[in-house]
Amino acid sequence: NIPQFNEIVKTKQFTFNGYTLTNTNEMLTGYEGADGVKTGYTGLAGRCLVTSATKNNMRLISVVLFCDTRNLRSQSSRSILDFAFDEYGRVKLLDQGKILGSVQVDRSRTAQEVKVAVAEDLKAVLKHNQKDSLYTRVSLPDKVMAPVKNGEVMGTVSIFRGDEIIAEAPLIAVNSAEKKELGDYIKQVLTQWLTLLSH
């Protein structure tokens, strides 16, 4: 999430004051899509490596600890990342703007209900065979009181895998409902009164 940090950890070499510094992360040159992050070593922890790699619009991060050699460290990281990229993919679950229902509005002079839509694209990283096992739950009130503004959060949509929520987004109103004013109530009473008189 920090562009400057991203730039630093994916840099393979850097020259400063006549000195050339070489990144000790062997994955940057030895693994397609590798773009970080950090090597490490202590006597107790052994050789360690946090690797970031990006392919198919998906970034994965592997962590290996307690490796005896640099070769084992990179081999283990490569195995983890290869497995994850083979087994998982980024999936779009819902499109921003998709209408998922409506909410009744009481005491409105302009609309008796407002439609609600997904506020943002919903995406998740899933195993390739998992999308069919997901289900969606929409949480909305039965009714609200006017006024309602366009873009106001009305509820949430949640995507579940089993009992686990894997993605969630707000549901927002896509139209407004203005509150009835005193004049609207007077007009309503007069209309009803005139209707009764005409019968």
Side-chain angles (χ1 to χ4, degrees):
N1 294 326
I2 304 171
Q4 187 180 16
F5 180 80
N6 269 289
E7 198 59 39
I8 291 167
V9 298
K10 73 179 183 184
T11 301
K12 295 169 188 169
Q13 280 194 331
F14 183 72
T15 302
F16 179 74
N17 276 355
Y19 291 98
T20 298
L21 307 174
T22 302
N23 197 322
T24 57
N25 183 355
E26 62 272 18
M27 294 292 280
L28 292 177
T29 52
Y31 191 82
E32 181 191 349
D35 50 14
V37 175
K38 183 73 179 76
T39 60
Y41 174 82
T42 69
L44 287 174
R47 297 194 180 275
C48 307
L49 179 58
V50 178
T51 304
S52 166
T54 306
K55 296 181 188 179
N56 305 323
N57 198 30
M58 179 174 71
R59 170 178 268 176
L60 297 175
I61 295 172
S62 72
V63 179
V64 296
L65 309 170
F66 307 112
C67 296
D68 293 332
T69 64
R70 285 185 64 185
N71 186 48
L72 180 60
R73 173 175 84 180
S74 57
Q75 200 175 36
S76 301
S77 301
R78 193 174 289 108
S79 296
I80 291 169
L81 290 166
D82 283 346
F83 172 83
F85 279 118
D86 286 345
E87 293 287 321
Y88 291 83
R90 183 177 287 281
V91 178
K92 186 183 267 194
L93 304 168
L94 283 172
D95 290 320
Q96 179 182 9
K98 181 176 176 64
I99 304 292
L100 286 186
S102 61
V103 177
Q104 297 294 314
V105 183
D106 278 352
R107 299 186 185 176
S108 169
R109 61 191 294 266
T110 54
Q112 303 314 303
E113 68 173 25
V114 291
K115 292 191 182 327
V116 296
V118 184
E120 61 203 38
D121 287 340
L122 265 188
K123 300 174 183 173
V125 173
L126 295 170
K127 275 194 163 188
H128 295 307
N129 60 355
Q130 282 183 331
K131 191 172 180 186
D132 293 339
S133 65
L134 306 179
Y135 66 94
T136 303
R137 182 178 295 162
V138 172
S139 299
L140 288 170
D142 292 331
K143 61 173 65 177
V144 295
M145 300 287 278
V148 175
K149 293 180 181 173
N150 183 8
E152 186 175 329
V153 174
M154 305 298 291
T156 56
V157 56
S158 308
I159 310 291
F160 283 80
R161 182 180 58 221
D163 294 332
E164 177 193 8
I165 296 175
I166 61 163
E168 198 166 52
L171 292 172
I172 57 172
V174 295
N175 58 300
S176 300
E178 295 176 17
K179 185 179 180 181
K180 281 183 179 177
E181 304 294 343
L182 180 59
D184 297 308
Y185 288 108
I186 292 171
K187 184 178 176 183
Q188 183 180 343
V189 169
L190 285 174
T191 302
Q192 289 173 344
W193 185 63
L194 288 172
T195 303
L196 285 173
L197 284 178
S198 64
H199 291 305

